[in-house]
Amino acid sequence: MKKTILKSTIFVSFLCFISNHVFAQTIKADDETSNQFEIQVIAKLGTAKFKETGNVSLNGFTNGSDVLISKKITKKTYLVTGLGYFEFNGNRTVSGNTSSVKNTYLHIPLQLMSNINLFKEKAENQNIFLTIGLGIYANTQLKQEVELLDGDISEKNLGWNFGFSSKIGIKFKTSDKLNLGIGFESQSDFNKMKKNNIERKIDGSNSIYFLLGFVL
């Protein structure tokens, strides 16, 4: 119970931090802010560890995509949110029997991102940026499919949980309206989904992402 309260407190504190940060930026001078938006389409490939009551931890692979909207709140800082979808796939062997597990998730991130110019003194290279970010997210497991030798098992709507995420990458400004990016993202659930007395969570996920950004 104490751990749950602590995690909830951290989650609420982070939301308050972002809200206060955004509010503070809205009262800055016009030359420090911009109403610029960007639509980001992101593809991801990676690995993850899945934990489930009654089974050993399962290492597997993830793949998915996000469609996000980014709002510039200072010259270097962005608030990003949207929707994502990803899958986890792994194989489990128990007592000589092998099963294939496929989980599908809906992902809702909220991130604070910053762009850092890598070549401040070279005008011709001011279109290459280091991007770093920190955020929180909500996940819901839409479905779990387990393939066995004697048949398949499928469950739907397995609950919600929350987690922390971090990003680091490189962004290339190819034109005033188009950005490309590549980087590394790490995510970890800090609480578990629960349904029918079975608890589930992604204990850690690391992925490479590829970004296509359309500036509005």
Side-chain angles (χ1 to χ4, degrees):
M1 177 64 70
K2 291 182 178 179
K3 289 184 178 180
T4 301
I5 293 174
L6 178 60
K7 290 173 180 177
S8 298
T9 301
I10 294 173
F11 182 77
V12 172
S13 298
F14 187 84
L15 283 177
C16 291
F17 167 77
I18 289 181
S19 298
N20 290 337
H21 184 83
V22 173
F23 177 76
Q25 301 307 326
T26 60
I27 62 175
K28 285 182 175 290
D30 290 341
D31 62 346
E32 293 183 1
T33 61
S34 171
N35 291 324
Q36 189 177 69
F37 287 88
E38 180 183 13
I39 301 297
Q40 299 178 349
V41 180
I42 300 174
K44 303 177 187 177
L45 294 170
T47 60
K49 179 183 287 188
F50 174 68
K51 288 188 174 182
E52 182 179 44
T53 302
N55 290 298
V56 297
S57 297
L58 179 61
N59 294 311
F61 297 95
T62 60
N63 66 86
S65 60
D66 297 336
V67 178
L68 309 176
I69 184 165
S70 171
K71 169 68 169 67
K72 180 183 281 189
I73 54 178
T74 71
K75 289 183 178 180
K76 296 182 180 180
T77 309
Y78 300 78
L79 190 64
V80 184
T81 189
L83 293 174
Y85 172 89
F86 71 95
E87 297 180 352
F88 170 89
N89 293 277
N91 294 315
R92 178 187 290 140
T93 301
V94 179
S95 301
N97 297 316
T98 300
S99 61
S100 175
V101 178
K102 178 181 178 181
N103 297 333
T104 57
Y105 299 86
L106 177 69
H107 180 68
I108 306 173
L110 177 64
Q111 300 169 334
L112 196 63
M113 302 292 297
S114 181
N115 290 337
I116 301 172
N117 197 326
L118 294 178
F119 303 97
K120 293 182 179 180
E121 297 179 358
K122 297 181 179 180
E124 68 275 14
N125 289 329
Q126 289 186 4
N127 294 322
I128 304 175
F129 301 89
L130 173 68
T131 61
I132 56 175
L134 181 66
I136 54 178
Y137 60 83
N139 280 342
T140 180
Q141 188 170 346
L142 302 174
K143 191 175 183 180
Q144 181 178 74
E145 299 173 84
V146 181
E147 294 183 8
L148 305 166
L149 292 177
D150 55 354
D152 298 343
I153 301 173
S154 178
E155 294 185 83
K156 296 181 179 180
N157 302 321
L158 299 174
W160 288 84
N161 69 348
F162 304 92
F164 289 115
S165 66
S166 60
K167 276 185 177 181
I168 185 168
I170 299 293
K171 185 171 80 172
F172 304 91
K173 183 179 178 182
T174 60
S175 72
D176 289 339
K177 294 296 183 180
L178 182 64
N179 295 318
L180 301 177
I182 185 172
F184 176 81
E185 182 175 28
S186 179
Q187 298 181 357
S188 183
D189 296 350
F190 62 67
N191 71 322
K192 299 175 181 178
M193 302 173 185
K194 187 174 181 179
K195 185 176 181 180
N196 298 328
N197 294 320
I198 298 177
E199 296 181 335
R200 300 175 175 89
K201 68 178 292 188
I202 299 290
D203 196 41
S205 173
N206 299 302
S207 60
I208 296 174
Y209 71 83
F210 305 90
L211 179 148
L212 185 63
F214 304 94
V215 180
L216 303 180

